[in-house]
Amino acid sequence: IVAAQFWIATFNTCLTAIFLLVVMPALSMRLPYSSVLIALTFVAGMIPIVGNLLCNVVMTIVGLSVSPLAAAACLGFLILIHKAEYLINAKVVGAKTHMGVWELLSVMFVAEAIFGPAGLVAAPLFYAYLKKELFAARLI
């Protein structure tokens, strides 16, 4: 799970760097402190959920300091990247724990719907444990 969080943070950082250093300048909206925002994305991205929320808030506020349109672009980008995290997380964690991507995504969506963000974070751990125990008992 920790390895998955590293890859998710790296994925977020790369996409954020492209967004801040290529896309925003192409739209004539340069955000100040782009390098600090990129570093913050990686460091905070190592903390599940809370780190992502922190980056979202900071980047949107920095975007708002440029213009409301820049803030909207930042917020839209961050929503899209957050949804892409589900796929990356399921792929990385699934490969490490011998679970299918569809299994893990299903468990993550159900746990988030029932328990909120805590369920989303805990779902891969509990599902991996449950699956291992069921396999050991030869129930699956």
Side-chain angles (χ1 to χ4, degrees):
I1 304 299
V2 173
Q5 200 60 42
F6 172 79
W7 288 112
I8 290 168
T10 302
F11 173 77
N12 283 349
T13 303
C14 290
L15 289 182
T16 301
I18 291 168
F19 178 73
L20 292 175
L21 301 176
V22 176
V23 175
M24 290 301 278
L27 297 173
S28 298
M29 294 186 276
R30 296 186 191 279
L31 265 63
Y33 309 111
S34 291
S35 58
V36 173
L37 290 172
I38 293 166
L40 175 67
T41 300
F42 181 75
V43 173
M46 295 301 285
I47 305 167
I49 307 295
V50 176
N52 194 341
L53 291 173
L54 173 72
C55 288
N56 291 0
V57 169
V58 171
M59 196 174 303
T60 303
I61 290 171
V62 171
L64 193 57
S65 74
V66 173
S67 74
L69 185 60
C74 289
L75 192 58
F77 166 75
L78 293 166
I79 289 169
L80 288 174
I81 197 172
H82 178 68
K83 295 307 171 192
E85 279 180 23
Y86 285 108
L87 295 172
I88 298 299
N89 193 0
K91 179 109 174 110
V92 172
V93 172
K96 300 275 185 202
T97 57
H98 309 293
M99 291 185 268
V101 172
W102 69 271
E103 288 177 275
L104 203 48
L105 281 175
S106 299
V107 169
M108 288 167 61
F109 289 141
V110 169
E112 182 181 28
I114 295 171
F115 302 109
L120 178 65
V121 172
L125 297 170
F126 287 119
Y127 184 68
Y129 172 75
L130 178 65
K131 188 171 180 179
K132 185 175 181 181
E133 290 297 318
L134 290 172
F135 189 76
R138 296 187 182 158
L139 296 173
I140 57 170

